[in-house]
């Protein structure tokens, strides 16, 4: 049986998602869209949540809305009451246990008014064989993954020294690797 590695790129979040105007944007977009295992690519630069690479278009739900993103492009504004529904996408289940999700994220809530939960950045909770979600702790000092049964937090070393604030964008990548038969989860 051949296993397939998979990559899902989700764009940016303010939690804003989408990305459009930094000097090296074109080269970055080219690298993403040339990834051989890419499943989907959401830039949120149109007036919708359509997949810019594959057939997995999304729909804005709740209070999710498009908003100015990095460098004048569009982003997806999530305020805790909104989300994007993608429907059932079996490839996002990473059935072989190997896959990557990445996004550009700007957590723009103040620590003085932090939510009482760890906001979800992106997730696959379609009740398929694997469920997962990636979160940032409310006080912006760790990312975490919920795997359907448990939450695993990964501290961000010295977050204030590396500029984890509501005004800075950060690239977040989570890699699940089961190629050795011993599953690992790595945050970048």
């Amino acid at each position: 049986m051949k296993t397939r590695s998979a990559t899902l790129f989700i764009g940016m979040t303010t939690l804003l998602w989408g990305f459009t105007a930094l000097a090296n944007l074109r080269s970055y977009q080219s690298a993403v869209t040339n990834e051989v295992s890419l499943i989907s690519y959401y830039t949120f630069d149109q007036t919708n949540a359509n997949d810019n690479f594959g057939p997995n278009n999304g729909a804005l739900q709740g209070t999710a809305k498009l908003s100015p993103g990095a460098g004048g492009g569009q982003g997806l504004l999530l305020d805790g009451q909104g989300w994007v529904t993608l429907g059932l996408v079996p490839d996002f289940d990473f059935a072989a246990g190997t896959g990557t999700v990445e996004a550009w994220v700007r957590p723009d809530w103040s620590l003085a008014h932090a939510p009482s939960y760890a906001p979800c950045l992106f997730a696959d909770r379609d009740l398929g064989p694997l469920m997962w979600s990636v979160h940032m702790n409310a006080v912006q000092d760790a990312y975490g993954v919920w795997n359907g049964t448990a939450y695993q937090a990964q501290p961000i070393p010295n977050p204030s020294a590396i500029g984890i604030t509501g005004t800075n964008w950060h690239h977040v990548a989570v890699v699940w690797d089961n190629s050795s038969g011993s599953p690992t989860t790595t945050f970048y």
Side-chain angles (χ1 to χ4, degrees):
M1 174 175 106
K2 182 178 180 191
T3 60
R4 178 171 176 231
S5 160
T7 302
L8 166 65
F9 178 82
I10 305 187
M12 289 242 165
T13 163
T14 56
L15 265 246
L16 261 178
W17 298 19
F19 197 76
T20 330
L22 300 176
N24 60 359
L25 176 64
R26 295 287 177 238
S27 119
Y28 178 77
Q29 288 176 326
S30 178
V32 168
T33 57
N34 286 317
E35 170 58 46
V36 296
S37 61
L38 183 65
I39 297 170
S40 290
Y41 180 41
Y42 300 92
T43 64
F44 301 104
D45 281 338
Q46 299 96 2
T47 58
N48 54 41
N50 284 352
D51 185 345
N52 291 61
F53 183 81
N56 304 308
N57 292 334
L60 301 177
Q61 302 290 310
T63 59
K65 64 182 178 180
L66 297 175
S67 181
Q74 288 286 76
L76 176 66
L77 179 61
L78 301 173
D79 65 1
Q81 302 299 313
W83 62 95
V84 174
T85 298
L86 300 174
L88 296 175
V89 182
D91 282 338
F92 295 167
D93 289 335
F94 305 132
T98 300
T100 301
V101 293
E102 62 180 277
W104 285 92
V105 178
R106 187 182 78 197
D108 68 348
W109 62 89
S110 75
L111 296 181
H113 298 96
S116 60
Y117 57 93
C120 180
L121 304 178
F122 34 95
D124 179 31
R125 294 185 181 170
D126 64 5
L127 303 178
L130 295 175
M131 293 189 296
W132 54 266
S133 55
V134 176
H135 303 258
M136 176 176 255
N137 285 5
V139 294
Q140 303 173 5
D141 65 351
Y143 290 103
V145 171
W146 179 77
N147 66 7
T149 58
Y151 181 73
Q152 171 193 357
Q154 176 68 42
I156 300 169
N158 200 359
S160 59
I162 60 172
I164 303 287
T165 70
T167 59
N168 295 320
W169 289 96
H170 305 279
H171 184 255
V172 178
V174 180
V175 178
W176 291 274
D177 185 1
N178 192 30
S179 60
S180 67
S182 179
T184 61
T185 302
T186 306
F187 293 84
Y188 297 96

